[in-house]
């Protein structure tokens, strides 16, 4: 069963026509909520709890795989450094203490000259004040953090192994990468800072993206060193692009997206799963300039038929089912949309049925709606 589903997904990933349309809703913290367990118990307490979450999900919803198990932040490890980027509450993962702009606009020269030294000596002490002026204490924290990071990786490896071996479900995301312009946005300059820098410091912004590119590469291939096993993808969320004018996207973001595809997919053989956040309709012509790698695109908004017609030669197209409809609609209305997905997007292959956004809350989808559309696509999506 595992191999059958993996082959189905990989055929679509390669822009081919599998035996039937793959079903891949993006289930994250919806899983524990639906299973009636706390997110903390599932992600921190016991890997068996998280496995049982997916056992229940697999029993109730037809799936051809999962992107990842939802346990994506090493919270115990981060607690060694005081406030981290994310914390866990009864509502799931939330941002806390991100400190906004951790890099000042006059510090580009330091970043460009040596990104590693700049992060170690400037950004980390600024973001985590507990690390200031305590060399021996810091060494202890770092040793403890490394151990807890290994525990976190082992926790997920146990869960993912059981999901694949006992449930026959491929777990697809074997690595994560953040493109260098998004590193500046997410970790250094925040949205207001990046928007200002592109206007006032365009050369410095571009040079910083170039300086950080190797870090983006290392993030991609460091954890997933065997792309030839053909079992997974590198997950890359794209945050900044759709907040840029198309001409600014083409100038400041696209070169690094294109270079990443060339280095990671074309030259090294990885499959890249891009989460195309927001509306990409104004950028489709520009995306035609990407290298011919193995790219998968999950599109949140826009006309998916036009997207497939425009860049289906570059991307495997993922999406089609609005979570707003799964949340508010009737089973009948949801099945009508699923039928439309098969009619509009499935012809010619190169399509994976999915939700248009992550399912993170129990309110994001009525279980009966999600079960109905997944089963409908599986039964009626045969080529």
């Amino acid at each position: 069963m595992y191999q059958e589903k993996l082959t189905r997904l990989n055929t679509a990933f390669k822009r081919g026509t599998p035996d039937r349309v793959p079903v891949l809703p993006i289930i994250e913290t919806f899983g524990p909520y639906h299973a009636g367990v706390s997110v903390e118990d599932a992600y921190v307490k016991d890997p068996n709890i998280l496995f049982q979450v997916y056992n229940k999900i697999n029993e109730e919803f037809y799936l051809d795989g999962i992107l990842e198990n939802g346990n994506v932040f090493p919270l115990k490890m981060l607690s060694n450094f005081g406030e981290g980027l994310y914390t866990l509450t009864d509502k799931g993962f939330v941002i806390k203490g991100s400190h906004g702009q951790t890099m000042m606009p006059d510090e580009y020269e330091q970043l460009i000259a040596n990104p590693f030294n700049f992060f170690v000596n400037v950004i980390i002490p600024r973001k985590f004040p507990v690390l200031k002026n305590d060399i021996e204490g810091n060494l202890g924290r770092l040793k403890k953090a490394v151990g807890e990071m290994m525990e976190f990786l082992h926790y997920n490896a146990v869960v993912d192994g059981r999901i694949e071996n006992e449930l026959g479900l491929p777990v697809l995301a074997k690595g994560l990468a953040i493109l260098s312009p998004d590193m500046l946005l997410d970790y250094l300059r925040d949205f207001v800072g990046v928007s200002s820098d592109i206007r006032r410091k365009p050369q410095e912004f571009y040079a910083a993206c170039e300086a950080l590119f190797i870090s983006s590469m290392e993030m991609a291939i460091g954890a997933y060193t065997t792309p030839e096993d053909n079992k997974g993808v590198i997950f890359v969320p794209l945050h900044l692009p759709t907040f840029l004018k198309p001409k600014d996207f083409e100038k400041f973001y696209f070169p690094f997206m294109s270079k990443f595809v060339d280095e990671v997919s074309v030259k090294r053989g990885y499959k890249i799963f891009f989460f195309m956040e927001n509306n990409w309709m104004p950028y489709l012509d520009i995306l035609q300039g990407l290298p011919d790698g193995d790219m998968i695109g999950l599109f949140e908004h826009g006309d998916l038929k036009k997207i497939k017609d425009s860049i289906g030669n570059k991307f495997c197209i993922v999406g089609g089912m609005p979570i707003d409809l799964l949340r508010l609609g009737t089973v009948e209305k949801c099945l009508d949309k699923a039928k439309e997905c098969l009619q509009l997007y499935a012809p010619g292959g190169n399509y994976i049925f999915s939700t248009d956004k992550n399912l993170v809350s129990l309110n994001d989808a009525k279980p009966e709606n999600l079960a109905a559309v997944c089963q409908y696509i599986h039964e009626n999506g045969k080529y």
Side-chain angles (χ1 to χ4, degrees), residues 362-377:
L362 191 59
N363 295 325
D364 283 344
K366 295 177 184 176
E368 62 269 23
N369 287 347
L370 183 62
V373 298
C374 290
Q375 190 63 33
Y376 179 87
I377 296 295

Side-chain angles (χ1 to χ4, degrees), residues 259-297:
K259 184 178 179 181
F260 184 86
V261 172
D262 185 56
E263 291 289 343
V264 173
S265 184
V266 176
K267 294 180 180 177
R268 291 171 173 81
Y270 290 87
K271 296 187 289 294
I272 304 171
F273 193 113
F274 285 120
F275 197 137
M276 317 289 281
E277 298 186 9
N278 296 315
N279 184 5
W280 282 77
M281 297 297 289
Y283 311 87
L284 298 181
D285 289 344
I286 301 171
L287 293 176
Q288 276 290 353
L290 286 169
D292 292 326
D294 290 330
M295 294 178 286
I296 304 105

Side-chain angles (χ1 to χ4, degrees), residues 28 33 58 64 113 152 224 262 271 320 345:
E28 290 198 348
Y33 292 128
N58 187 58
D64 281 307
F152 170 77
Y224 180 28
D262 185 56
K271 296 187 289 294
Y345 317 135

Side-chain angles (χ1 to χ4, degrees), residues 75 77-87 94-100 102 123-131 141:
L75 297 169
M77 182 273 283
L78 290 171
S79 69
N80 291 284
F81 307 110
E83 290 186 333
L85 182 61
Y86 290 92
T87 189
V94 296
I95 294 175
K96 179 182 179 182
S98 63
H99 300 298
T102 55
I123 296 301
I124 290 178
R126 184 178 292 166
K127 182 172 175 57
F128 303 109
V130 71
L131 295 176
R141 285 190 183 89

Side-chain angles (χ1 to χ4, degrees), residues 39 61 101 119 124 132 180-181 210 222 256 268 282 302 314-315 338:
V39 176
F61 310 108
Q101 295 183 22
F119 270 92
I124 290 178
K132 290 182 179 178
S180 50
E210 287 189 315
F256 304 102
R268 291 171 173 81
K314 296 287 184 177
F315 288 82

Side-chain angles (χ1 to χ4, degrees), residues 213-227:
F213 182 80
I214 187 64
S215 298
S216 182
M217 284 276 298
E218 290 172 346
M219 184 184 294
I221 64 180
Y224 180 28
T225 58
T226 55

